[in-house]
Amino acid sequence: MSTRRTGSAVHRRILTATTAAVLTATALLTGCSKEGKTVNPAPAPLSPSASTALSADPRAAEKAEILAAYTGFWAESVKAYAAGSDKGTQLVKYAANKALDEALTDVTNLQMAGLAMQGAPGHRAEVTSLQMSGEHPGATVTDCLDISTWRTVNRLSGKEELSPSGQPMRYVAVAEVEQWSGRWMVVAMTPNGDRTC
């Protein structure tokens, strides 16, 4: 399999912030700013009405925990995609099941192809559904994933690999998150490259 095809497959599956996934890691598509600087815009401060709305939400605490777990998943994913290994990361603290399996597979594929991810994707994530009943309470996080600041590079040369033609730099990604033994874990990540945002 060619290096470019391997890199493109990893990107399409949406890996990784990759483990910053939480913070960042996994339909990894490449992108970078002209200056090569990573840009992660700070979230806008909440307006008084938004703050009131959040505090009025009876599930605000759970939603905050879910988003913290999602952020942690990306942060640790980004670390793994950059290093080509999950060693030294806490990916298993934030990911399980399909999400963990796919992230680890993507990290291995990047390593075997001699590629690494640099920078980190941007996020605009929100909890779009939440159910607290059952053995494993669950939630859906819908994110506008911005990969323009996350690029694929050749590990040896440092040269950037081109993104697949027509690849959008911002698209919707959906994560399924479940509560296991009191801890929220990302269990599935689905990129929707045809849904730009």
Side-chain angles (χ1 to χ4, degrees), residues 34-183:
K34 296 273 186 207
E35 298 78 25
K37 296 178 183 172
T38 299
V39 180
N40 286 321
L46 293 175
S47 66
S49 60
S51 297
T52 303
L54 280 179
S55 62
D57 183 348
R59 296 289 186 200
E62 288 91 347
K63 289 179 179 179
E65 290 177 8
I66 291 162
L67 290 175
Y70 181 76
T71 298
F73 165 76
W74 273 106
E76 298 305 309
S77 295
V78 167
K79 291 178 192 175
Y81 289 126
S85 171
D86 66 316
K87 290 187 172 108
T89 74
Q90 294 185 324
L91 189 56
V92 296
K93 180 178 175 182
Y94 299 102
N97 289 358
K98 185 178 176 184
L100 180 60
D101 292 343
E102 288 184 352
L104 294 176
T105 297
D106 290 337
V107 167
T108 299
N109 288 342
L110 283 169
Q111 178 68 23
M112 291 175 61
L115 302 174
M117 299 301 295
Q118 289 186 350
H123 302 276
R124 197 168 66 232
E126 63 179 324
V127 177
T128 50
S129 74
L130 174 61
Q131 64 82 20
M132 294 299 295
S133 61
E135 183 179 356
H136 295 293
T140 301
V141 173
T142 302
D143 189 6
C144 179
L145 189 67
D146 180 355
I147 60 169
S148 65
T149 55
W150 202 23
R151 58 196 188 113
T152 305
V153 298
N154 182 288
R155 205 174 275 282
L156 292 179
S157 70
K159 182 178 177 182
E160 183 176 349
E161 297 284 313
L162 297 177
S163 298
S165 178
Q167 169 62 47
M169 291 294 105
R170 290 180 184 84
Y171 56 89
V172 174
V174 177
E176 297 304 321
V177 185
E178 291 182 354
Q179 192 177 58
W180 293 16
S181 302
R183 179 192 302 267

Side-chain angles (χ1 to χ4, degrees), residues 177-197:
V177 185
E178 291 182 354
Q179 192 177 58
W180 293 16
S181 302
R183 179 192 302 267
W184 289 100
M185 309 278 284
V186 177
V187 295
M189 280 293 306
T190 305
N192 293 281
D194 57 341
R195 291 177 58 197
T196 58
C197 53

